[in-house]
Amino acid sequence: MMNTKKLTKLSKQHPRLTVRTLATLMAIKDNEGCSVSELSQFMGVNEKNVATTIRRLEEGREGSGDVKLIKVKQNKEDKRFKLIWLTAKGKSLLQRL
């Protein structure tokens, strides 16, 4: 996981990407296929905050405008949970950073 100083610097270079969004995308990269709950535990932040960021990313409201950086699918084994992956655009964006 990147430190806050580096996330802040990246956020300034890419104004559409907040520190929270960058941290979430990087955590997804390290934990693809995880649930919001698992992601919040990995990041050490409140699950509600992670869920809000995930919802905004899924809707394309955060990050790169209309480009979807993540994909969310319902867990086949337990329909109550959604699992999260980066899209090809999300992976490409993180590689450029």
Side-chain angles (χ1 to χ4, degrees):
M1 189 69 154
M2 283 194 172
N3 65 34
T4 305
K5 191 174 183 178
K6 185 160 185 178
L7 288 172
T8 302
K9 182 179 175 184
L10 288 171
S11 181
K12 287 179 182 176
Q13 293 171 354
H14 303 276
R16 293 192 60 109
L17 297 171
T18 65
V19 170
R20 181 189 303 189
T21 301
L22 283 167
T24 303
L25 290 171
M26 291 176 178
I28 293 168
K29 179 183 174 197
D30 292 340
N31 297 280
E32 287 200 280
C34 69
S35 68
V36 171
S37 176
E38 292 167 330
L39 194 60
S40 72
Q41 288 174 6
F42 175 77
M43 294 175 70
V45 297
N46 182 296
E47 188 173 336
K48 186 175 180 177
N49 291 339
V50 173
T52 299
T53 302
I54 294 298
R55 187 179 68 251
R56 288 179 176 165
L57 281 165
E58 185 179 13
E59 294 170 353
R61 292 191 293 156
E62 252 181 64
S64 294
D66 295 334
V67 177
K68 297 208 178 185
L69 301 175
I70 65 167
K71 57 185 169 187
V72 179
K73 296 181 182 179
Q74 200 161 27
N75 185 339
K76 293 178 184 176
E77 297 169 11
D78 190 339
K79 303 285 185 196
R80 296 174 295 169
F81 297 101
K82 293 181 177 181
L83 306 178
I84 309 154
W85 286 269
L86 291 175
T87 63
K89 296 277 186 188
K91 289 177 185 178
S92 174
L93 174 76
L94 289 179
Q95 286 176 343
R96 290 191 316 247
L97 299 177

